[in-house]
């Protein structure tokens, strides 16, 4: 049943996204493993369309933030406003209160704003004026980076890169895929009529089911060996942390 639902989601996304089956599979892997994903590629390859298609298929809340140098942390997490009628502060939630948050061109904003996502990505909550607010479940940050036009950009700090489970590059479509894209989008945008095939609570159930997938001692040992090699290899400055070990294990459970 779990496999059939995943298959339905992939087929639904394929009604909009031409090709890129491997990218959709990795995207679902990140969702089921309760991780986040970063996509680095040139503009116009469908990164935003992919995020919207996933959110529509999940039946979840989708929000998008265009990261710019003047973006403030409160523009993402939300802020409190003073209500003169009752003399109390009211929390105005930011776009982070979503199931799928598209952080578009995340490397174009200052490190202070980039780091405002750390608590959300790790603990699934935001803290504003001393008050903690839980985020919707499931919660996925899909960040994009543009590898060209690097003037005025701010590379993500290592602490934030470590919060992403996967990084992918979509790449250009081949000839047949590009022909199919033009044909599919010639008269209508298939995203406008894309239905939901499930609801967020069922995705949460899939995440819980993934954690129950059996992982043998041999597989855990193999993961540990891989991670330890990154810590001793002379070409690697910083080896993977235990978060990397857990990420490998959970991604393997999700793929299984």
């Amino acid at each position: 049943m779990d496999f059939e639902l995943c298959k339905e989601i992939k087929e639904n996304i394929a009604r909009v996204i031409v090709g890129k089956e491997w990218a959709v599979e990795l995207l679902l892997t990140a969702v089921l493993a309760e991780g986040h994903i970063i996509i680095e590629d040139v503009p116009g390859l469908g990164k935003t369309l992919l995020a919207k298609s996933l959110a529509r298929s999940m039946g979840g809340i989708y929000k998008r933030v265009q990261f710019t140098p003047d973006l403030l942390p409160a523009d993402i997490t939300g802020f409190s406003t003073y209500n003169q009628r009752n003399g109390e502060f009211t929390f105005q939630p930011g776009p982070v209160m979503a199931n799928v948050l598209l952080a578009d061109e995340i490397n174009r904003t200052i490190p202070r704003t980039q780091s405002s996502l750390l608590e959300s990505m790790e603990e699934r909550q935001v803290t504003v004026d001393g008050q903690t607010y839980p985020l919707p479940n499931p919660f996925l940050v899909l960040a994009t980076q543009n590898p060209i036009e690097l003037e005025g950009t701010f590379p993500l700090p290592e602490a934030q890169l470590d919060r992403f489970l996967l990084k992918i590059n979509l790449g250009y479509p081949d000839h047949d895929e590009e022909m199919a894209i033009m044909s599919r989008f010639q008269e209508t945008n298939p995203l406008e009529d894309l239905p939901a095939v499930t609801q967020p609570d069922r995705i949460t159930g899939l995440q819980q089911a993934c954690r129950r997938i059996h992982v043998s001692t041999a597989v855990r040992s193999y993961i540990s060996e891989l991670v330890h090699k990154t810590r001793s290899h002379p070409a690697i400055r910083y080896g993977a942390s235990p978060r990397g070990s857990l990420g490998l294990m959970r991604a393997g459970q999700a793929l299984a």
Side-chain angles (χ1 to χ4, degrees), residues 6-26:
C6 292
K7 184 179 178 182
E8 287 179 26
I9 295 173
K10 290 169 65 176
E11 291 175 348
N12 201 53
I13 294 175
R15 296 173 60 180
V16 178
I17 303 297
V18 176
K20 312 302 180 189
E21 292 87 358
W22 60 270
V24 174
E25 184 166 302
L26 288 178

Side-chain angles (χ1 to χ4, degrees), residues 125-153:
Q125 64 182 31
V126 293
T127 302
V128 178
D129 296 332
Q131 293 289 327
T132 299
Y133 305 91
L135 298 180
N137 199 18
F139 174 69
L140 168 76
V141 173
L142 198 161
T144 70
Q145 285 193 139
N146 183 354
I148 61 176
E149 299 175 354
L150 296 178
E151 297 80 4
T153 59

Side-chain angles (χ1 to χ4, degrees), residues 34-38 96 101 103 106 114-126 135 139-143 156 159-165 243:
E34 301 176 61
H36 307 284
I37 195 164
I38 186 167
V96 75
L101 173 66
I106 194 172
Q114 291 172 347
S115 63
S116 66
L117 277 173
L118 288 176
E119 181 185 13
S120 303
M121 295 172 69
E122 183 65 21
E123 302 178 34
R124 269 49 177 194
Q125 64 182 31
V126 293
L135 298 180
F139 174 69
L140 168 76
V141 173
L142 198 161
L156 284 175
Q160 184 151 5
L161 282 173
D162 197 45
R163 262 67 174 186
F164 288 98
L165 176 65
R243 184 184 287 121

Side-chain angles (χ1 to χ4, degrees), residues 26-205:
L26 288 178
L27 191 61
L28 279 176
T29 298
V31 172
L32 299 183
E34 301 176 61
H36 307 284
I37 195 164
I38 186 167
I39 303 177
E40 184 175 272
D41 230 319
V42 297
L45 294 182
K47 298 185 291 292
T48 301
L49 200 63
L50 182 59
K52 286 184 177 179
S53 301
L54 173 67
R56 284 277 186 93
S57 300
M58 289 170 48
I61 302 169
Y62 166 83
K63 296 289 180 66
R64 175 182 178 272
V65 178
Q66 180 65 51
F67 280 70
T68 56
D70 60 348
L71 196 72
L72 298 175
D75 296 327
I76 299 172
T77 60
F79 52 88
S80 297
T81 57
Y82 183 69
N83 190 326
Q84 293 184 345
R85 291 184 178 180
N86 56 23
E88 297 178 351
F89 284 92
T90 304
F91 176 62
Q92 303 296 327
V96 75
M97 292 291 180
N99 296 116
V100 178
L101 173 66
L102 176 64
D104 211 2
E105 293 190 298
I106 194 172
N107 58 331
R108 292 201 176 276
T109 195
I110 58 176
R112 177 189 173 195
T113 303
Q114 291 172 347
S115 63
S116 66
L117 277 173
L118 288 176
E119 181 185 13
S120 303
M121 295 172 69
E122 183 65 21
E123 302 178 34
R124 269 49 177 194
Q125 64 182 31
V126 293
T127 302
V128 178
D129 296 332
Q131 293 289 327
T132 299
Y133 305 91
L135 298 180
N137 199 18
F139 174 69
L140 168 76
V141 173
L142 198 161
T144 70
Q145 285 193 139
N146 183 354
I148 61 176
E149 299 175 354
L150 296 178
E151 297 80 4
T153 59
F154 304 87
L156 284 175
E158 296 291 341
Q160 184 151 5
L161 282 173
D162 197 45
R163 262 67 174 186
F164 288 98
L165 176 65
L166 299 172
K167 177 182 177 181
I168 64 173
N169 303 84
L170 292 178
Y172 289 108
D174 60 27
H175 174 75
D176 292 338
E177 290 174 341
E178 197 137 23
M179 292 287 287
I181 290 171
M182 289 187 287
S183 175
R184 184 173 297 183
F185 285 83
Q186 180 176 346
E187 296 184 4
T188 60
N189 184 348
L191 179 66
E192 295 176 357
D193 300 321
L194 191 69
V197 297
T198 186
Q199 293 299 318
D201 58 341
R202 291 196 66 190
I203 299 296
T204 302

